DNA sequence: CCTATCATGTAATCCGTTACATGATTAT
DNA sequence: ATAATCATGTAACGGATTACATGATAGG
């Protein structure tokens, strides 16, 4: 057991394992894709390497399926559960950066209306999907994911308003 | 001269060199801190290594100061100017992810009102600074930075509205 | 004069992405 | 059957962060 630093992806894995119990990397991949992945996605390879890292640190335990494909199954240890709880209980004042490629191009002089056109299409599709998901959310979905989705919807609207105003301006 | 892939930080360096002419890494660091860094910041070390990478690719040229500290000075080559222009002219439909630590904690069950308190303080300070900057912007600042700042202000307001509603909810 | 802070860089580490590979299911 | 997709991993690479170092400048 060695020191491993816990990064945001670490907590995503810990949080999902806490949510779902024992799981394979592929199962984690599905869970990410259907939930937290909308605002913090991970490559599938990382869902194989990250649980392995966490195993080295003692935050999760790994076992092999008996028969069949002998897949790897991971679950939280007490140490992992404790680390997750402490992280969650500690409020953070950290501010995220926007890091948006379209905004970066705009910053460096891209034509606003041309950019606005493709960005609008993308953000409108994004908003439509979020609203569709929200309207179909089962009642037993906890507050956390529900609120995160709500934030995503508002951010999408902020983007749409922004680009709409730029699309309306005379080109050039 | 070898292949180097152009990443967002690459374009930040190219864009700033195009903006300011020949510059040292330290000068780039100052420029980033005062402009694009508000939505896409870079570590100072990367402002030493990235121009070196770009030199290997032929996008910038490097020369040494004659006297004194013999600092490294970088400026755009024609190839670099061309790469920047092409990148800027190509609209992108890419959508950025939020990747916010506070939201991640909320997603995994953190107490909303406790989190909202510290997040509100941080976002309000952020908003105040952006508005102060906007109100002091010289007239010759181009549209790109001006619009990026405007977007930052709106995003900050979206966050503030979101956390305010959570702060108002009964704790627990 | 001494000590912060500013300025300038290099080196090591490591996380995250990309690429590679292959076995199992499902559909045609 | 066989092609396509799903599922399960490993390996290599490289960009980004962190740590280490040191010379110059300014303030007390």
């Amino acid at each position: 057991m060695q020191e491993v630093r816990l990064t945001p992806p670490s907590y995503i894995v810990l949080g999902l394992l806490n949510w779902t119990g024992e799981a394979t990397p592929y199962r984690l991949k599905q869970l990410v894709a259907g939930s937290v992945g909308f605002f913090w996605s991970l490559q599938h390879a990382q869902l194989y390497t990250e649980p392995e890292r966490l195993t080295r640190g003692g935050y999760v335990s790994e076992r092999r399926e008996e028969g069949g494909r002998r897949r790897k199954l991971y679950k939280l240890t007490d140490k992992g559960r404790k680390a997750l709880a402490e992280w969650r209980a500690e409020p953070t004042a950290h501010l995220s950066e926007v890091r948006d490629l379209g905004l970066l191009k705009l910053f460096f002089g891209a034509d606003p209306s041309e950019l606005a056109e493709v960005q609008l299409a993308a953000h409108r599709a994004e908003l439509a999907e979020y609203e569709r998901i929200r309207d179909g959310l089962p009642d037993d979905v906890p507050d956390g994911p529900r609120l995160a989705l709500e934030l995503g919807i508002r951010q999408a609207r902020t983007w749409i308003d922004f680009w709409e105003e730029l699309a309306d301006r005379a080109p050039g």
Side-chain angles (χ1 to χ4, degrees), chain A residues 108-146:
Chain A
F108 284 117
D111 177 68
S113 57
E114 214 178 327
L115 197 51
E117 192 180 338
V118 308
Q119 285 281 307
L120 265 179
H123 279 292
R124 283 176 175 150
E126 181 193 25
L127 176 60
E129 186 185 4
Y130 289 170
E131 288 178 333
R132 186 184 57 74
I133 292 171
R134 181 197 53 191
D135 295 342
L137 272 192
D139 288 342
D140 63 346
V141 170
D143 268 4
R146 197 178 293 276

mmCIF file of all heavy atoms in Angstrom, chain A residues 108-146:
data_model
loop_
_atom_site.group_PDB
_atom_site.id
_atom_site.type_symbol
_atom_site.label_atom_id
_atom_site.label_comp_id
_atom_site.label_asym_id
_atom_site.label_seq_id
_atom_site.Cartn_x
_atom_site.Cartn_y
_atom_site.Cartn_z
ATOM 1 N N PHE A 108 -9.389 35.646 -29.200
ATOM 2 C CA PHE A 108 -8.285 35.982 -30.090
ATOM 3 C C PHE A 108 -8.743 36.456 -31.459
ATOM 4 O O PHE A 108 -7.992 36.393 -32.431
ATOM 5 C CB PHE A 108 -7.318 34.814 -30.212
ATOM 6 C CG PHE A 108 -6.434 34.661 -28.999
ATOM 7 C CD1 PHE A 108 -6.490 33.518 -28.217
ATOM 8 C CD2 PHE A 108 -5.558 35.681 -28.628
ATOM 9 C CE1 PHE A 108 -5.673 33.387 -27.092
ATOM 10 C CE2 PHE A 108 -4.745 35.551 -27.504
ATOM 11 C CZ PHE A 108 -4.807 34.411 -26.734
ATOM 12 N N GLY A 109 -9.985 36.913 -31.538
ATOM 13 C CA GLY A 109 -10.385 37.646 -32.723
ATOM 14 C C GLY A 109 -11.221 36.910 -33.746
ATOM 15 O O GLY A 109 -11.412 37.417 -34.853
ATOM 16 N N ALA A 110 -11.742 35.715 -33.417
ATOM 17 C CA ALA A 110 -12.594 35.028 -34.376
ATOM 18 C C ALA A 110 -13.839 35.850 -34.676
ATOM 19 O O ALA A 110 -14.283 36.647 -33.842
ATOM 20 C CB ALA A 110 -12.996 33.655 -33.827
ATOM 21 N N ASP A 111 -14.403 35.621 -35.849
ATOM 22 C CA ASP A 111 -15.617 36.333 -36.227
ATOM 23 C C ASP A 111 -16.779 35.873 -35.357
ATOM 24 O O ASP A 111 -17.141 34.703 -35.357
ATOM 25 C CB ASP A 111 -15.941 36.052 -37.699
ATOM 26 C CG ASP A 111 -17.237 36.699 -38.123
ATOM 27 O OD1 ASP A 111 -17.274 37.934 -38.182
ATOM 28 O OD2 ASP A 111 -18.214 35.971 -38.373
ATOM 29 N N PRO A 112 -17.393 36.805 -34.602
ATOM 30 C CA PRO A 112 -18.422 36.419 -33.634
ATOM 31 C C PRO A 112 -19.632 35.728 -34.250
ATOM 32 O O PRO A 112 -20.079 34.698 -33.746
ATOM 33 C CB PRO A 112 -18.822 37.757 -33.001
ATOM 34 C CG PRO A 112 -17.635 38.631 -33.184
ATOM 35 C CD PRO A 112 -17.050 38.233 -34.497
ATOM 36 N N SER A 113 -20.126 36.251 -35.347
ATOM 37 C CA SER A 113 -21.387 35.694 -35.844
ATOM 38 C C SER A 113 -21.185 34.304 -36.452
ATOM 39 O O SER A 113 -22.033 33.424 -36.311
ATOM 40 C CB SER A 113 -22.022 36.639 -36.861
ATOM 41 O OG SER A 113 -21.148 36.891 -37.930
ATOM 42 N N GLU A 114 -20.039 34.120 -37.081
ATOM 43 C CA GLU A 114 -19.754 32.808 -37.667
ATOM 44 C C GLU A 114 -19.637 31.744 -36.576
ATOM 45 O O GLU A 114 -20.166 30.640 -36.674
ATOM 46 C CB GLU A 114 -18.430 32.910 -38.437
ATOM 47 C CG GLU A 114 -18.351 32.068 -39.679
ATOM 48 C CD GLU A 114 -17.010 32.285 -40.389
ATOM 49 O OE1 GLU A 114 -16.478 33.426 -40.336
ATOM 50 O OE2 GLU A 114 -16.487 31.312 -40.942
ATOM 51 N N LEU A 115 -18.913 32.120 -35.522
ATOM 52 C CA LEU A 115 -18.731 31.203 -34.398
ATOM 53 C C LEU A 115 -20.059 30.962 -33.693
ATOM 54 O O LEU A 115 -20.395 29.828 -33.306
ATOM 55 C CB LEU A 115 -17.727 31.839 -33.436
ATOM 56 C CG LEU A 115 -17.049 30.989 -32.379
ATOM 57 C CD1 LEU A 115 -16.436 29.741 -32.981
ATOM 58 C CD2 LEU A 115 -15.961 31.829 -31.696
ATOM 59 N N ALA A 116 -20.828 32.030 -33.539
ATOM 60 C CA ALA A 116 -22.094 31.936 -32.813
ATOM 61 C C ALA A 116 -23.021 30.914 -33.474
ATOM 62 O O ALA A 116 -23.730 30.173 -32.790
ATOM 63 C CB ALA A 116 -22.761 33.301 -32.755
ATOM 64 N N GLU A 117 -22.966 30.859 -34.778
ATOM 65 C CA GLU A 117 -23.873 29.952 -35.480
ATOM 66 C C GLU A 117 -23.659 28.499 -35.058
ATOM 67 O O GLU A 117 -24.613 27.816 -34.660
ATOM 68 C CB GLU A 117 -23.660 30.105 -36.987
ATOM 69 C CG GLU A 117 -24.724 29.437 -37.827
ATOM 70 C CD GLU A 117 -24.455 29.621 -39.325
ATOM 71 O OE1 GLU A 117 -23.722 30.576 -39.680
ATOM 72 O OE2 GLU A 117 -24.964 28.814 -40.112
ATOM 73 N N VAL A 118 -22.422 28.038 -35.110
ATOM 74 C CA VAL A 118 -22.192 26.626 -34.772
ATOM 75 C C VAL A 118 -22.293 26.398 -33.265
ATOM 76 O O VAL A 118 -22.744 25.348 -32.814
ATOM 77 C CB VAL A 118 -20.841 26.102 -35.313
ATOM 78 C CG1 VAL A 118 -20.710 26.409 -36.798
ATOM 79 C CG2 VAL A 118 -19.676 26.670 -34.556
ATOM 80 N N GLN A 119 -21.899 27.381 -32.481
ATOM 81 C CA GLN A 119 -22.000 27.214 -31.035
ATOM 82 C C GLN A 119 -23.460 27.171 -30.588
ATOM 83 O O GLN A 119 -23.826 26.395 -29.707
ATOM 84 C CB GLN A 119 -21.259 28.352 -30.328
ATOM 85 C CG GLN A 119 -19.746 28.191 -30.376
ATOM 86 C CD GLN A 119 -19.244 27.178 -29.353
ATOM 87 O OE1 GLN A 119 -19.555 27.269 -28.164
ATOM 88 N NE2 GLN A 119 -18.490 26.191 -29.810
ATOM 89 N N LEU A 120 -24.266 27.991 -31.212
ATOM 90 C CA LEU A 120 -25.682 27.996 -30.860
ATOM 91 C C LEU A 120 -26.315 26.643 -31.111
ATOM 92 O O LEU A 120 -27.062 26.121 -30.275
ATOM 93 C CB LEU A 120 -26.405 29.068 -31.672
ATOM 94 C CG LEU A 120 -26.581 30.411 -30.990
ATOM 95 C CD1 LEU A 120 -27.284 31.388 -31.920
ATOM 96 C CD2 LEU A 120 -27.356 30.266 -29.688
ATOM 97 N N ALA A 121 -26.028 26.082 -32.265
ATOM 98 C CA ALA A 121 -26.603 24.773 -32.595
ATOM 99 C C ALA A 121 -26.207 23.753 -31.537
ATOM 100 O O ALA A 121 -27.041 22.981 -31.050
ATOM 101 C CB ALA A 121 -26.122 24.331 -33.976
ATOM 102 N N ALA A 122 -24.932 23.766 -31.171
ATOM 103 C CA ALA A 122 -24.445 22.786 -30.198
ATOM 104 C C ALA A 122 -25.080 22.998 -28.823
ATOM 105 O O ALA A 122 -25.527 22.047 -28.176
ATOM 106 C CB ALA A 122 -22.921 22.868 -30.112
ATOM 107 N N HIS A 123 -25.120 24.238 -28.386
ATOM 108 C CA HIS A 123 -25.649 24.498 -27.051
ATOM 109 C C HIS A 123 -27.163 24.257 -26.982
ATOM 110 O O HIS A 123 -27.680 23.828 -25.959
ATOM 111 C CB HIS A 123 -25.309 25.932 -26.617
ATOM 112 C CG HIS A 123 -23.922 26.078 -26.093
ATOM 113 N ND1 HIS A 123 -23.506 25.509 -24.910
ATOM 114 C CD2 HIS A 123 -22.831 26.712 -26.593
ATOM 115 C CE1 HIS A 123 -22.231 25.797 -24.701
ATOM 116 N NE2 HIS A 123 -21.797 26.527 -25.716
ATOM 117 N N ARG A 124 -27.857 24.545 -28.076
ATOM 118 C CA ARG A 124 -29.300 24.284 -28.082
ATOM 119 C C ARG A 124 -29.582 22.794 -27.998
ATOM 120 O O ARG A 124 -30.490 22.358 -27.295
ATOM 121 C CB ARG A 124 -29.938 24.884 -29.342
ATOM 122 C CG ARG A 124 -30.103 26.381 -29.230
ATOM 123 C CD ARG A 124 -30.648 26.974 -30.526
ATOM 124 N NE ARG A 124 -30.923 28.407 -30.381
ATOM 125 C CZ ARG A 124 -30.841 29.280 -31.380
ATOM 126 N NH1 ARG A 124 -30.493 28.866 -32.584
ATOM 127 N NH2 ARG A 124 -31.100 30.560 -31.169
ATOM 128 N N ALA A 125 -28.797 22.014 -28.713
ATOM 129 C CA ALA A 125 -28.967 20.559 -28.642
ATOM 130 C C ALA A 125 -28.669 20.065 -27.231
ATOM 131 O O ALA A 125 -29.371 19.207 -26.681
ATOM 132 C CB ALA A 125 -28.037 19.883 -29.652
ATOM 133 N N GLU A 126 -27.627 20.631 -26.647
ATOM 134 C CA GLU A 126 -27.253 20.271 -25.275
ATOM 135 C C GLU A 126 -28.403 20.589 -24.312
ATOM 136 O O GLU A 126 -28.804 19.739 -23.507
ATOM 137 C CB GLU A 126 -26.012 21.087 -24.900
ATOM 138 C CG GLU A 126 -25.469 20.821 -23.511
ATOM 139 C CD GLU A 126 -24.450 21.879 -23.098
ATOM 140 O OE1 GLU A 126 -24.503 23.024 -23.628
ATOM 141 O OE2 GLU A 126 -23.591 21.566 -22.253
ATOM 142 N N LEU A 127 -28.928 21.781 -24.429
ATOM 143 C CA LEU A 127 -30.026 22.183 -23.543
ATOM 144 C C LEU A 127 -31.235 21.265 -23.709
ATOM 145 O O LEU A 127 -31.832 20.805 -22.723
ATOM 146 C CB LEU A 127 -30.427 23.636 -23.843
ATOM 147 C CG LEU A 127 -31.627 24.164 -23.065
ATOM 148 C CD1 LEU A 127 -31.371 24.119 -21.566
ATOM 149 C CD2 LEU A 127 -31.972 25.592 -23.502
ATOM 150 N N ALA A 128 -31.552 20.969 -24.956
ATOM 151 C CA ALA A 128 -32.712 20.106 -25.212
ATOM 152 C C ALA A 128 -32.522 18.747 -24.546
ATOM 153 O O ALA A 128 -33.447 18.199 -23.946
ATOM 154 C CB ALA A 128 -32.910 19.936 -26.717
ATOM 155 N N GLU A 129 -31.295 18.224 -24.627
ATOM 156 C CA GLU A 129 -31.064 16.918 -24.023
ATOM 157 C C GLU A 129 -31.172 16.982 -22.501
ATOM 158 O O GLU A 129 -31.767 16.104 -21.879
ATOM 159 C CB GLU A 129 -29.681 16.389 -24.427
ATOM 160 C CG GLU A 129 -29.496 14.971 -23.917
ATOM 161 C CD GLU A 129 -28.100 14.424 -24.181
ATOM 162 O OE1 GLU A 129 -27.257 15.191 -24.695
ATOM 163 O OE2 GLU A 129 -27.885 13.253 -23.843
ATOM 164 N N TYR A 130 -30.604 18.015 -21.913
ATOM 165 C CA TYR A 130 -30.680 18.149 -20.455
ATOM 166 C C TYR A 130 -32.134 18.248 -19.999
ATOM 167 O O TYR A 130 -32.524 17.653 -18.995
ATOM 168 C CB TYR A 130 -29.918 19.387 -19.980
ATOM 169 C CG TYR A 130 -28.426 19.278 -20.087
ATOM 170 C CD1 TYR A 130 -27.608 20.387 -19.883
ATOM 171 C CD2 TYR A 130 -27.802 18.066 -20.376
ATOM 172 C CE1 TYR A 130 -26.233 20.298 -19.977
ATOM 173 C CE2 TYR A 130 -26.427 17.972 -20.480
ATOM 174 C CZ TYR A 130 -25.647 19.097 -20.278
ATOM 175 O OH TYR A 130 -24.283 19.011 -20.372
ATOM 176 N N GLU A 131 -32.919 19.007 -20.744
ATOM 177 C CA GLU A 131 -34.331 19.169 -20.345
ATOM 178 C C GLU A 131 -35.094 17.870 -20.508
ATOM 179 O O GLU A 131 -35.944 17.531 -19.680
ATOM 180 C CB GLU A 131 -34.960 20.304 -21.159
ATOM 181 C CG GLU A 131 -34.428 21.664 -20.722
ATOM 182 C CD GLU A 131 -34.987 22.824 -21.535
ATOM 183 O OE1 GLU A 131 -35.358 22.605 -22.711
ATOM 184 O OE2 GLU A 131 -35.027 23.954 -20.999
ATOM 185 N N ARG A 132 -34.754 17.139 -21.552
ATOM 186 C CA ARG A 132 -35.391 15.835 -21.751
ATOM 187 C C ARG A 132 -35.044 14.899 -20.586
ATOM 188 O O ARG A 132 -35.909 14.217 -20.025
ATOM 189 C CB ARG A 132 -34.889 15.230 -23.069
ATOM 190 C CG ARG A 132 -35.590 13.942 -23.478
ATOM 191 C CD ARG A 132 -34.973 13.362 -24.752
ATOM 192 N NE ARG A 132 -33.539 13.114 -24.639
ATOM 193 C CZ ARG A 132 -33.000 12.111 -23.946
ATOM 194 N NH1 ARG A 132 -33.765 11.275 -23.304
ATOM 195 N NH2 ARG A 132 -31.681 11.968 -23.889
ATOM 196 N N ILE A 133 -33.784 14.903 -20.198
ATOM 197 C CA ILE A 133 -33.375 14.058 -19.074
ATOM 198 C C ILE A 133 -34.093 14.482 -17.800
ATOM 199 O O ILE A 133 -34.620 13.658 -17.061
ATOM 200 C CB ILE A 133 -31.851 14.139 -18.878
ATOM 201 C CG1 ILE A 133 -31.133 13.490 -20.057
ATOM 202 C CG2 ILE A 133 -31.441 13.475 -17.567
ATOM 203 C CD1 ILE A 133 -29.633 13.705 -20.067
ATOM 204 N N ARG A 134 -34.109 15.776 -17.549
ATOM 205 C CA ARG A 134 -34.752 16.273 -16.338
ATOM 206 C C ARG A 134 -36.209 15.862 -16.279
ATOM 207 O O ARG A 134 -36.709 15.419 -15.236
ATOM 208 C CB ARG A 134 -34.655 17.802 -16.286
ATOM 209 C CG ARG A 134 -35.296 18.393 -15.033
ATOM 210 C CD ARG A 134 -35.559 19.880 -15.203
ATOM 211 N NE ARG A 134 -36.329 20.165 -16.418
ATOM 212 C CZ ARG A 134 -36.514 21.373 -16.912
ATOM 213 N NH1 ARG A 134 -35.976 22.418 -16.316
ATOM 214 N NH2 ARG A 134 -37.213 21.543 -18.021
ATOM 215 N N ASP A 135 -36.893 15.969 -17.418
ATOM 216 C CA ASP A 135 -38.314 15.661 -17.414
ATOM 217 C C ASP A 135 -38.585 14.172 -17.242
ATOM 218 O O ASP A 135 -39.702 13.783 -16.907
ATOM 219 C CB ASP A 135 -38.958 16.171 -18.711
ATOM 220 C CG ASP A 135 -38.889 17.687 -18.791
ATOM 221 O OD1 ASP A 135 -38.667 18.328 -17.742
ATOM 222 O OD2 ASP A 135 -39.040 18.240 -19.896
ATOM 223 N N GLY A 136 -37.547 13.356 -17.455
ATOM 224 C CA GLY A 136 -37.755 11.927 -17.291
ATOM 225 C C GLY A 136 -37.123 11.359 -16.038
ATOM 226 O O GLY A 136 -37.084 10.149 -15.844
ATOM 227 N N LEU A 137 -36.599 12.223 -15.187
ATOM 228 C CA LEU A 137 -35.900 11.746 -13.976
ATOM 229 C C LEU A 137 -36.850 10.990 -13.050
ATOM 230 O O LEU A 137 -37.901 11.511 -12.680
ATOM 231 C CB LEU A 137 -35.305 12.931 -13.208
ATOM 232 C CG LEU A 137 -33.913 13.415 -13.555
ATOM 233 C CD1 LEU A 137 -33.423 14.379 -12.476
ATOM 234 C CD2 LEU A 137 -32.935 12.276 -13.708
ATOM 235 N N PRO A 138 -36.474 9.779 -12.663
ATOM 236 C CA PRO A 138 -37.277 9.050 -11.684
ATOM 237 C C PRO A 138 -37.301 9.800 -10.353
ATOM 238 O O PRO A 138 -36.409 10.577 -10.043
ATOM 239 C CB PRO A 138 -36.523 7.718 -11.526
ATOM 240 C CG PRO A 138 -35.626 7.616 -12.710
ATOM 241 C CD PRO A 138 -35.305 9.016 -13.119
ATOM 242 N N ASP A 139 -38.345 9.550 -9.575
ATOM 243 C CA ASP A 139 -38.515 10.273 -8.318
ATOM 244 C C ASP A 139 -37.423 9.967 -7.294
ATOM 245 O O ASP A 139 -37.157 10.781 -6.405
ATOM 246 C CB ASP A 139 -39.885 9.937 -7.702
ATOM 247 C CG ASP A 139 -41.012 10.583 -8.492
ATOM 248 O OD1 ASP A 139 -40.723 11.523 -9.252
ATOM 249 O OD2 ASP A 139 -42.167 10.145 -8.338
ATOM 250 N N ASP A 140 -36.795 8.791 -7.431
ATOM 251 C CA ASP A 140 -35.840 8.401 -6.393
ATOM 252 C C ASP A 140 -34.438 8.938 -6.640
ATOM 253 O O ASP A 140 -33.518 8.635 -5.886
ATOM 254 C CB ASP A 140 -35.808 6.874 -6.260
ATOM 255 C CG ASP A 140 -35.323 6.202 -7.538
ATOM 256 O OD1 ASP A 140 -35.277 6.887 -8.583
ATOM 257 O OD2 ASP A 140 -34.990 5.003 -7.485
ATOM 258 N N VAL A 141 -34.263 9.733 -7.690
ATOM 259 C CA VAL A 141 -32.944 10.331 -7.924
ATOM 260 C C VAL A 141 -32.665 11.355 -6.829
ATOM 261 O O VAL A 141 -33.488 12.224 -6.561
ATOM 262 C CB VAL A 141 -32.887 11.002 -9.313
ATOM 263 C CG1 VAL A 141 -31.621 11.818 -9.467
ATOM 264 C CG2 VAL A 141 -32.975 9.951 -10.409
ATOM 265 N N PRO A 142 -31.504 11.259 -6.184
ATOM 266 C CA PRO A 142 -31.212 12.168 -5.076
ATOM 267 C C PRO A 142 -31.004 13.612 -5.529
ATOM 268 O O PRO A 142 -30.903 13.901 -6.720
ATOM 269 C CB PRO A 142 -29.926 11.600 -4.475
ATOM 270 C CG PRO A 142 -29.380 10.647 -5.473
ATOM 271 C CD PRO A 142 -30.476 10.222 -6.370
ATOM 272 N N ASP A 143 -30.956 14.503 -4.555
ATOM 273 C CA ASP A 143 -30.830 15.926 -4.824
ATOM 274 C C ASP A 143 -29.582 16.295 -5.613
ATOM 275 O O ASP A 143 -29.620 17.149 -6.493
ATOM 276 C CB ASP A 143 -30.816 16.695 -3.497
ATOM 277 C CG ASP A 143 -32.217 17.135 -3.104
ATOM 278 O OD1 ASP A 143 -33.169 16.778 -3.820
ATOM 279 O OD2 ASP A 143 -32.347 17.823 -2.079
ATOM 280 N N GLY A 144 -28.460 15.672 -5.266
ATOM 281 C CA GLY A 144 -27.188 16.042 -5.877
ATOM 282 C C GLY A 144 -27.242 16.035 -7.389
ATOM 283 O O GLY A 144 -27.075 17.088 -8.029
ATOM 284 N N PRO A 145 -27.469 14.886 -7.987
ATOM 285 C CA PRO A 145 -27.558 14.822 -9.443
ATOM 286 C C PRO A 145 -28.637 15.738 -10.004
ATOM 287 O O PRO A 145 -28.444 16.364 -11.048
ATOM 288 C CB PRO A 145 -27.919 13.351 -9.689
ATOM 289 C CG PRO A 145 -27.354 12.626 -8.520
ATOM 290 C CD PRO A 145 -27.471 13.556 -7.361
ATOM 291 N N ARG A 146 -29.751 15.832 -9.308
ATOM 292 C CA ARG A 146 -30.832 16.694 -9.773
ATOM 293 C C ARG A 146 -30.378 18.155 -9.850
ATOM 294 O O ARG A 146 -30.636 18.855 -10.830
ATOM 295 C CB ARG A 146 -32.002 16.558 -8.790
ATOM 296 C CG ARG A 146 -33.335 17.030 -9.279
ATOM 297 C CD ARG A 146 -34.392 16.787 -8.206
ATOM 298 N NE ARG A 146 -34.631 15.369 -7.970
ATOM 299 C CZ ARG A 146 -35.463 14.640 -8.719
ATOM 300 N NH1 ARG A 146 -36.104 15.197 -9.717
ATOM 301 N NH2 ARG A 146 -35.640 13.351 -8.457
#
